[in-house]
Amino acid sequence: MGSSNNFVLFLVIVSSFLVVISEGQQSSVPVVPGLSYTFYSTSCPNLESIVRIHLLQVLENDTTQAAGLLRLHFHDCFVQGCDASVLLDGSTSGPSEKSAIPNLTLRQAAFKIINDIQALIQNQCGQVVSCADITALAARESILLSGGPYYNIPLGRRDSQNFATSNVTLANLPPPTFNTTQNLNLFTSKNFTATDLVALSGGHTIGIGHCTSFTNRLYPQQDPNMDKTFANNLKLTCPASNTTNTTNLDLRTPNIFDNKYFVDLMNRQGLFTSDQDLYTDSRTKSIVQSFAVNQTLFFEKFIDGMVKMGQLGVLTGSQGEIRANCSARNGNSMGSWSIVGDEQQGRLAQY
Ligand code: HEM
Ligand SMILES: *[C@@H]1O[C@H](CO)[C@@H](O)[C@H](O)[C@H]1NC(C)=O
Ligand SMILES: *[C@@H]1O[C@H](CO)[C@@H](O)[C@H](O)[C@H]1NC(C)=O
Ligand SMILES: *[C@@H]1O[C@H](CO)[C@@H](O)[C@H](O)[C@H]1NC(C)=O
Ligand SMILES: *[C@@H]1O[C@H](CO)[C@@H](O)[C@H](O)[C@H]1NC(C)=O
Ligand SMILES: *[C@@H]1O[C@H](CO)[C@@H](O)[C@H](O)[C@H]1NC(C)=O
Ligand SMILES: *[C@@H]1O[C@H](CO)[C@@H](O)[C@H](O)[C@H]1NC(C)=O
Ligand SMILES: *[C@@H]1O[C@H](CO)[C@@H](O)[C@H](O)[C@H]1NC(C)=O
Ligand SMILES: *[C@@H]1O[C@H](CO)[C@@H](O)[C@H](O)[C@H]1NC(C)=O
Ligand SMILES: CC(=O)N[C@H]1CO[C@H](CO)[C@@H](O)[C@@H]1O
């Protein structure tokens, strides 16, 4: 693991500094009214470099945090739109999205990273950037810093004042046991195509899964669509279905954002049912193949999927609010933040 991984990260870091002055790739997906590619260019001109420089430090210490940040944005957007509702701590109003079952495996560290980035942004720009935009930017930078493509994203999302109930959360997030039919039903209900589903599933080119997310494919009997050696190795990691161990989602290059996930699928080494079934189902098989042989094509379609996903159900204009604290809606903990803001920058954290 150690030195070769560090070398890759080093390369990624060097290339990312080159990217600072170059253009991101531009998706042809339409921009939702109220969002724009230049939303903060006068109110917070250094926004993107603040996020990138902080994440460079975080990921230099622990590359795997990139995956946690990418997944956080996915969960935010699929439940009630990209409104940072996933970040809200449970409060007097009841259990939050965070406590619904699929969120049990969101990384605590990801929430802290978002809050740390927000504090850095507030110091430079005041309370102008939404937590939903910070989450979207953190996902985008995580992809870049893991070796993936750099692309422009529309900004201007606002933060919600409420979170989704557990039921709504569960109804909108696909479990790993979903087959392609079930995933297509969910994804097409949100206006995604089969190509979007396959491309976005490519997010599993980085990150980890817990045994409980895939032991249904090992016990009581082995999924015939799983490579036997792969299955035997997974059984060593997960000797029982309730062990708390984790394993990499992408066997080949677990921390690099590339198209190897699709090569895994073609070798029946996808981890979840939802992954492997993309190569079994005739509606998605050829898309998997096309991404496995052409990374440029995968990146292009992934970007389109992310730009679409990043605009799901967004609040814009005067809807919602710009949270002073990403973990709480304004009014819950306003006091402490305005005091901190006043002392450090002489700005009021009111707008
Ligand atoms: C297509 C339906 C999807 C299903 C069924 C699914 C399911 C899952 C599950 C079960 C895990 C592992 C949770 C655990 O056991 O710890 C996971 C992890 C992950 N998912 Fe998905 N996911 C889907 C789509 C996506 C999308 C669209 C993205 C982003 C573009 C994404 C990004 C990730 C990442 C990066 C991880 C690793 C997280 C970490 O290492 O902390 N997933 N997903
Ligand atoms: C660095 O990462 C390790 C886990 O890999 C974590 O325990 C530690 O807190 C991190 N340090 C910093 C400064 O983030
Ligand atoms: C959530 O769903 C469960 C099972 O479908 C149902 O019993 C429960 O009443 C629902 N809760 C709410 C608050 O809608
Ligand atoms: C997908 O799963 C659903 C629900 O379990 C099942 O009814 C359906 O037959 C499955 N489809 C395929 C093609 O396996
Ligand atoms: C899907 O697109 C149609 C037409 O473009 C639009 O009317 C509809 O609101 C969209 N649905 C969702 C869930 O975004
Ligand atoms: C966790 O997985 C490792 C191999 O990856 C294995 O050696 C260990 O026994 C597993 N731990 C448990 C509790 O299953
Ligand atoms: C897993 O299940 C076995 C058998 O039911 C039990 O003995 C063991 O304590 C459980 N382990 C965990 C980590 O829950
Ligand atoms: C790979 O995909 C890109 C983007 O669509 C395309 O321009 C290129 O021609 C493809 N390469 C091959 C070898 O098919
Ligand atoms: C942000 O809100 C959370 C949840 O209410 C709270 O625990 C935390 O202390 C707040 N952070 C700051 C810096 O005020
Ligand atoms: C990451 C996260 O917020 N996890 C929460 C999931 O739900 C449990 C149970 O409510 C909480 O204890 C975790 O903090």
Side-chain angles (χ1 to χ4, degrees):
M1 184 118 174
S3 62
S4 71
N5 251 2
N6 287 343
F7 181 62
V8 169
L9 186 61
F10 168 75
L11 287 181
V12 168
I13 288 169
V14 169
S15 57
S16 74
F17 279 116
L18 300 175
V19 168
V20 169
I21 47 165
S22 72
E23 288 284 300
Q25 292 180 53
Q26 186 67 43
S27 168
S28 58
V29 169
V31 176
V32 162
L35 299 186
S36 113
Y37 284 106
T38 54
F39 196 83
Y40 298 110
S41 56
T42 53
S43 61
C44 195
N46 292 328
L47 173 60
E48 304 192 18
S49 52
I50 297 170
V51 178
R52 182 170 312 159
I53 288 165
H54 185 71
L55 286 180
L56 273 169
Q57 291 163 6
V58 168
L59 300 181
E60 190 176 21
N61 174 52
D62 180 3
T63 333
T64 72
Q65 296 301 335
L69 291 164
L70 175 55
R71 188 164 183 237
L72 192 63
H73 181 47
F74 163 52
H75 280 211
D76 184 25
C77 293
F78 261 55
V79 182
Q80 190 181 287
C82 315
D83 61 356
S85 50
V86 71
L87 303 178
L88 290 171
D89 280 342
S91 66
T92 46
S93 22
S96 67
E97 274 179 43
K98 267 197 202 180
S99 59
I101 289 164
N103 284 331
L104 291 172
T105 53
L106 286 173
R107 297 182 192 224
Q108 282 304 325
F111 296 104
K112 179 173 186 300
I113 294 165
I114 297 292
N115 284 336
D116 290 348
I117 294 172
Q118 191 206 27
L120 293 168
I121 293 169
Q122 292 214 14
N123 277 344
Q124 274 204 28
C125 306
Q127 193 181 326
V128 294
V129 181
S130 67
C131 297
D133 278 344
I134 294 171
T135 305
L137 286 165
R140 193 268 303 263
E141 297 300 323
S142 292
I143 291 162
L144 171 67
L145 297 177
S146 302
Y150 180 51
Y151 55 96
N152 298 326
I153 54 171
L155 296 169
R157 298 167 189 79
R158 308 261 303 172
D159 300 324
S160 65
Q161 287 157 312
N162 64 302
F163 45 70
T165 62
S166 297
N167 277 6
V168 169
T169 305
L170 285 171
N172 284 282
L173 291 175
T177 51
F178 261 19
N179 61 27
T180 301
T181 301
Q182 293 167 301
N183 265 326
L184 281 174
N185 285 343
L186 176 66
F187 276 67
T188 54
S189 77
K190 295 181 189 292
N191 275 353
F192 291 105
T193 63
T195 301
D196 292 327
L197 167 64
V198 177
L200 286 170
S201 295
H204 290 173
T205 178
I206 54 174
I208 56 171
H210 288 77
C211 292
T212 48
S213 298
F214 56 85
T215 43
N216 67 305
R217 303 186 64 204
L218 302 174
Y219 313 115
Q221 59 231 351
Q222 201 176 302
D223 184 335
N225 288 319
M226 186 186 277
D227 172 72
K228 287 207 166 53
T229 309
F230 183 57
N232 288 337
N233 287 334
L234 290 180
K235 283 177 179 167
L236 295 178
T237 305
C238 311
S241 39
N242 63 353
T243 39
T244 54
N245 256 351
T246 61
T247 195
N248 294 323
L249 301 183
D250 172 7
L251 185 70
R252 289 179 167 71
T253 51
N255 296 315
I256 301 175
F257 198 100
D258 58 13
N259 67 339
K260 293 293 191 293
Y261 162 84
F262 299 103
V263 177
D264 297 338
L265 301 189
M266 290 185 68
N267 288 283
R268 300 192 305 154
Q269 293 159 333
L271 193 61
F272 305 141
T273 305
S274 62
D275 297 318
Q276 194 56 55
D277 199 53
L278 294 171
Y279 190 64
T280 309
D281 194 292
S282 60
R283 290 164 293 182
T284 44
K285 182 172 187 161
S286 62
I287 307 171
V288 170
Q289 282 168 323
S290 70
F291 293 163
V293 300
N294 189 340
Q295 179 165 280
T296 308
L297 181 65
F298 164 48
F299 282 179
E300 196 177 283
K301 300 300 181 191
F302 181 77
I303 291 168
D304 288 345
M306 287 297 285
V307 172
K308 260 193 202 182
M309 186 177 96
Q311 301 190 92
L312 281 175
V314 289
L315 301 173
T316 59
S318 60
Q319 295 172 318
E321 61 187 19
I322 304 294
R323 265 180 229 152
N325 171 350
C326 290
S327 303
R329 62 170 176 240
N330 294 342
N332 276 5
S333 64
M334 249 315 236
S336 63
W337 258 108
S338 1
I339 291 162
V340 170
D342 286 353
E343 282 174 352
Q344 289 182 346
Q345 287 287 313
R347 286 178 206 269
L348 285 171
Q350 278 171 352
Y351 58 102

